[in-house]
């Protein structure tokens, strides 16, 4: 096995629901796909587990459904530092499936509740819909409105996406850890061509070089679409735009070819 000959012992996979899976065990009462009781049901159905089986290598899938790229970076750094306590850097390979750039994390702290909170600006069709979001008090609704109206723009989230890539690439490179990046999907109509739009916003040669060296040229979503940009039969779940288990299997096989080559 070529993979074993270069001594890789662990693949760390990170991303959003396109990496963590969106499947919920129907026998569970919880509706939270990220609940630990759902792990045994969803994790074997998604591409990281299937890629690990193809390669004969252990996989650690720490991705979270609904994650922003900010969250992905935080978890990769934390988990890599933990893995380096157990493995040599040459034994680790990291694969990141980036989420949509618009998602933004803020750290919420009201003295009692402290957590990272992800805002999904593109999910808001009308700014007044924010008033309808349950479990958010008036002050947070007003903050959400202000952010979406004035601070949610290409200049901000394109820059943040680019610097997420640069930071994580150089962090992994400095620790001598090989890695592969890809885009899972994209929430706006720009589609996977958003990198060309980014050049109009920010000119960053380092980022463009990364997209050539360690970045897959197609997104997970585009890989599963037909020539008419429609969902291929059986590769997406019927009730939501997420890959089916068959779609995850095909993506695992695609990544396996990349790694083998």
């Amino acid at each position: 096995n070529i993979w074993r000959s270069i001594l890789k012992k662990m693949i760390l996979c990170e991303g959003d629901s396109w990496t963590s899976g969106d499947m919920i065990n129907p026998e569970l009462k919880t509706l939270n796909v990220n609940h630990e009781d759902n792990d045994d049901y969803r994790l074997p159905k998604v591409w990281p587990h299937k890629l690990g089986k193809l390669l004969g290598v252990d996989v650690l899938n720490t991705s979270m459904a609904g994650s922003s790229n900010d969250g992905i970076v935080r978890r990769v750094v934390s988990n890599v530092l933990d893995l380096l306590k157990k493995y040599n850097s040459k034994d680790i390979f990291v694969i990141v499936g980036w989420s949509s750039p618009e998602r933004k994390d803020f750290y919420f702290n009201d003295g009692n509740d402290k957590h990272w909170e992800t805002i999904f600006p593109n999910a808001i069709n009308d700014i007044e819909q924010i008033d309808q979001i349950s479990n958010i008090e008036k002050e947070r609704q007003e903050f959400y409105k202000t952010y979406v109206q004035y601070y949610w723009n290409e200049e901000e989230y394109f820059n943040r996406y680019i610097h997420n890539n640069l930071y994580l690439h150089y962090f992994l490179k400095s620790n001598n850890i090989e890695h592969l990046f890809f885009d899972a999907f994209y929430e706006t109509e720009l589609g996977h061509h958003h990198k060309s739009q980014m050049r109009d916003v920010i000119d960053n040669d380092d980022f463009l070089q990364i997209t050539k060296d360690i970045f897959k040229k197609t997104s997970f979503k585009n890989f599963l679409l037909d020539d008419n940009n429609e969902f291929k039969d059986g590769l997406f779940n019927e009730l939501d735009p997420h890959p089916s288990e068959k779609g995850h299997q095909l993506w695992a096989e695609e990544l396996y070819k990349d790694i083998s080559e």
Side-chain angles (χ1 to χ4, degrees):
N1 186 307
I2 296 174
W3 186 252
R4 288 198 180 280
S5 71
I6 55 176
L7 301 177
K8 298 299 179 187
K9 296 179 180 178
M10 170 61 68
I11 306 176
L12 172 64
C13 298
E14 254 299 346
D16 57 13
S17 56
W18 286 59
T19 299
S20 71
D22 70 319
M23 305 88 162
I24 299 177
N25 188 339
E27 297 181 1
L28 292 179
K29 294 181 180 179
T30 178
L31 296 179
N32 183 354
V33 67
N34 295 316
H35 197 286
E36 61 182 11
D37 290 346
N38 193 45
D39 288 353
D40 290 342
Y41 180 82
R42 66 175 172 84
L43 290 179
K45 295 177 172 58
V46 293
W47 66 261
H49 178 86
K50 296 178 182 297
L51 177 62
K53 289 183 67 175
L54 290 171
L55 293 167
V57 175
D58 290 335
V59 171
L60 178 62
N61 183 357
T62 57
S63 53
M64 299 285 288
S67 179
S68 68
N69 291 328
D70 302 334
I72 290 171
V73 170
R74 290 196 308 273
R75 292 192 300 274
V76 170
V77 171
S78 176
N79 287 310
V80 163
L81 294 176
D82 284 342
L83 287 173
L84 286 173
K85 298 174 184 176
K86 306 173 185 177
Y87 299 92
N88 189 290
S89 61
K90 69 180 182 181
D91 298 334
I92 304 169
F93 192 83
V94 173
I95 305 178
V96 172
W98 294 110
S99 186
S100 209
E102 299 97 336
R103 297 179 180 183
K104 168 70 175 175
D105 278 9
F106 292 94
Y107 189 73
F108 178 79
N109 181 356
D110 67 356
N112 297 311
D113 184 14
K114 302 177 182 180
H115 64 274
W116 284 101
E117 188 169 300
T118 302
I119 287 182
F120 304 85
N122 199 59
I124 304 299
N125 296 318
D126 184 339
I127 198 167
E128 297 305 320
Q129 285 184 325
I130 297 173
D131 294 334
Q132 311 302 318
I133 298 176
S134 61
N135 300 322
I136 297 183
E137 61 273 14
K138 188 68 174 178
E139 291 82 359
R140 289 167 73 189
Q141 290 177 356
E142 292 304 316
F143 168 72
Y144 206 142
K145 283 184 182 180
T146 301
Y147 174 76
V148 172
Q149 185 170 1
Y150 297 109
Y151 297 105
W152 180 54
N153 51 66
E154 290 182 352
E155 287 79 5
E156 190 279 327
Y157 59 74
F158 279 168
N159 271 274
R160 183 158 42 83
Y161 172 83
I162 288 170
H163 289 103
N164 279 334
N165 273 269
L166 291 173
Y167 175 82
L168 200 54
H169 167 65
Y170 286 118
F171 167 78
L172 294 169
K173 185 176 181 180
S174 69
N175 282 284
N176 299 312
I177 294 175
E178 293 184 281
H179 49 285
L180 173 67
F181 293 167
F182 68 86
D183 283 322
F185 72 106
Y186 201 70
E187 288 179 331
T188 71
E189 61 186 11
L190 290 176
H192 191 62
H193 301 293
H194 66 276
K195 287 188 178 61
S196 62
Q197 276 85 358
M198 286 183 187
R199 296 174 193 175
D200 297 331
V201 177
I202 181 171
D203 184 15
N204 190 302
D205 292 337
D206 283 353
F207 173 70
L208 295 177
Q209 190 61 47
I210 287 175
T211 64
K212 296 176 183 178
D213 293 343
I214 60 163
F215 221 106
K216 277 193 65 61
K217 291 182 173 60
T218 184
S219 67
F220 188 178
K221 181 178 180 179
N222 283 5
F223 176 76
L224 299 180
L225 296 177
D226 61 23
D227 293 337
N228 296 317
N229 217 34
E230 300 289 339
F231 295 156
K232 293 179 183 176
D233 290 342
L235 300 189
F236 284 85
N237 295 330
E238 294 181 3
L239 300 179
D240 60 59
H242 283 87
S244 65
E245 184 172 2
K246 182 179 178 181
H248 279 281
Q249 178 65 43
L250 291 179
W251 188 242
E253 294 171 2
E254 172 73 5
L255 295 177
Y256 174 78
K257 289 191 294 184
D258 290 334
I259 293 172
S260 299
E261 292 171 359

